[in-house]
Amino acid sequence: EAYSINHHPDPDISRLMRSLAVQRVIHSLRAEKLLRKSPPRSLDEGAGLGILVRLLRDDGYDAWGHDPYAAPVFAEQYISRDLPTGSFDLITAIEVIEHTVETIDFVKELAGRLSSEGTLLLTTELHDSRRFPDPLQWSYLAQEYGQHVSFLSSKGLQAIADKTNLYWWASLEFAGSKCIHLLSKKAPSRWSQMRFLRRHARCEKVFKKG
């Protein structure tokens, strides 16, 4: 029922900025050869309007999307209501996991579609009981819309990574919260992780200077 209502104006006012932030993360992954195939094949699960698929297509990626609900106006020909076949070097799920009921099964299905060195990029805000001892004061609940039904702490995300045979190796900041999470089938070396984090930090510094 919550998904049968179109909210106007759209409550997700950060949709475009979030997609651009994820695009920058992906650029850094590719620059540091953490996405090895050229061009990488990607899947955006819960692609929504198709903004990220459009951005990656314009960057030369073999980018696809899956969304059984939304109208993908920006990349309609590349986004399907049926899950595309084959494996992917990168799977993104941007503000999706909090909408799932069987969260472990959802991540397990995505992990099963990753290539042998593939990466899963999730965005979701993790609950921190030190910041929000009363969960009802946490704005991410979005109670007025009734669509966020699953919430993770850092321990919860680590448990999901363990149960799906993924290695959670980085969480990056967006809009004041470390909500962009990188999980891979194969753990990058510590050197590769450090190089990636340094590159990403430089990119964000340049972006903020504008």
Side-chain angles (χ1 to χ4, degrees):
E1 183 179 348
Y3 291 94
S4 65
I5 302 170
N6 290 321
H7 297 283
H8 297 286
D10 188 342
D12 188 2
I13 59 174
S14 300
R15 188 190 305 272
L16 177 57
M17 291 300 291
R18 188 186 303 109
S19 296
L20 291 169
V22 168
Q23 181 193 32
R24 295 193 298 275
V25 172
I26 294 170
H27 283 178
S28 293
L29 286 170
R30 192 175 185 185
E32 293 301 330
K33 298 184 175 11
L34 294 171
L35 293 175
R36 295 182 180 276
K37 186 178 176 183
S38 185
R41 187 170 191 245
S42 69
L43 172 69
D44 188 23
E45 174 61 35
L49 297 176
I51 296 171
L52 183 59
V53 172
R54 180 75 274 157
L55 289 170
L56 295 181
R57 278 269 162 188
D58 290 349
D59 287 337
Y61 289 70
D62 183 17
W64 301 89
H66 171 238
D67 198 312
Y69 305 108
V73 295
F74 292 104
E76 188 172 1
Q77 64 270 47
Y78 303 111
I79 297 174
S80 172
R81 293 185 182 274
D82 299 315
L83 193 64
T85 59
S87 62
F88 298 89
D89 307 294
L90 172 70
I91 297 179
T92 54
I94 311 305
E95 298 302 292
V96 174
I97 197 169
E98 62 275 5
H99 297 266
T100 65
V101 177
E102 301 294 340
T103 305
I104 294 174
D105 290 342
F106 171 75
V107 175
K108 187 178 292 185
E109 182 177 9
L110 296 184
R113 303 299 298 275
L114 287 171
S115 61
S116 60
E117 295 186 355
T119 292
L120 175 61
L121 186 157
L122 303 171
T123 77
T124 193
E125 189 171 328
L126 302 179
H127 181 254
D128 183 347
S129 59
R130 294 169 298 180
R131 291 181 62 200
F132 300 102
D134 179 1
L136 294 178
Q137 300 303 311
W138 187 31
S139 62
Y140 200 68
L141 286 177
Q143 296 178 79
E144 62 271 38
Y145 302 110
Q147 295 183 354
H148 287 188
V149 295
S150 293
F151 303 94
L152 300 175
S153 63
S154 58
K155 288 183 179 179
L157 183 56
Q158 184 61 62
I160 287 176
D162 293 342
K163 290 181 179 180
T164 56
N165 296 314
L166 294 173
Y167 181 80
W168 174 27
W169 58 275
S171 289
L172 308 169
E173 186 171 314
F174 171 74
S177 172
K178 286 192 173 184
C179 61
I180 303 176
H181 313 290
L182 297 172
L183 303 92
S184 298
K185 272 202 166 181
K186 183 178 179 181
S189 69
R190 292 296 300 171
W191 176 243
S192 295
Q193 292 180 42
M194 289 173 60
R195 284 177 57 89
F196 164 79
L197 292 171
R198 285 199 295 264
R199 178 181 288 275
H200 178 67
R202 290 196 303 269
C203 288
E204 291 302 289
K205 187 174 181 180
V206 170
F207 173 77
K208 289 174 182 178
K209 283 186 176 179

